[in-house]
Amino acid sequence: MTTADRESELRRKIQIIGRGLAGQKQQPYATLKAKRRAGTLTPQEQAELIALSDQVEEMNVQRMGFVVQLASLRQIPVDALMDELGIKSPLYE
């Protein structure tokens, strides 16, 4: 595999995970976090929020692993690559 091929593969993986974070999990996650802030979470919703948080965290870990690999391949700092790709560090509540 050439360097260009590896770079394309890493960018694709970063984008796929990023879409998953922004898409399918974002709305229920945001809704449950809002209910938690309001103090209206049921025990079942609390469990769902924990499960979603774990999934989101795992996706972030995977994506950042690919970001680190791509930054290494390009020989640039990770934060510079994150800026280039428009990736923001997750905010934790």
Side-chain angles (χ1 to χ4, degrees):
M1 179 179 288
T2 68
T3 301
D5 290 340
R6 180 69 179 140
E7 185 172 325
S8 292
E9 177 187 350
L10 290 167
R11 286 182 61 96
R12 183 183 60 78
K13 288 178 179 181
I14 291 165
Q15 290 172 345
I16 288 169
I17 293 172
R19 282 194 301 265
L21 288 169
Q24 62 187 335
K25 299 190 184 316
Q26 189 60 40
Q27 185 55 47
Y29 187 58
T31 300
L32 290 169
K33 287 191 322 182
K35 289 184 86 170
R36 180 187 62 202
R37 282 191 298 274
T40 60
L41 269 182
T42 66
Q44 182 180 352
E45 289 169 330
Q46 175 76 25
E48 185 180 346
L49 178 58
I50 290 169
L52 279 172
S53 294
D54 289 347
Q55 290 173 14
V56 167
E57 188 65 28
E58 180 59 33
M59 290 171 76
N60 275 320
V61 168
Q62 288 176 353
R63 181 172 67 157
M64 286 309 300
F66 295 136
V67 168
V68 168
Q69 289 177 46
L70 184 55
S72 176
L73 188 65
R74 290 186 177 180
Q75 298 180 350
I76 62 172
V78 170
D79 58 342
L81 180 61
M82 287 176 66
D83 286 343
E84 178 185 321
L85 298 176
I87 298 173
K88 307 240 186 298
S89 295
L91 300 175
Y92 294 97
E93 297 178 27

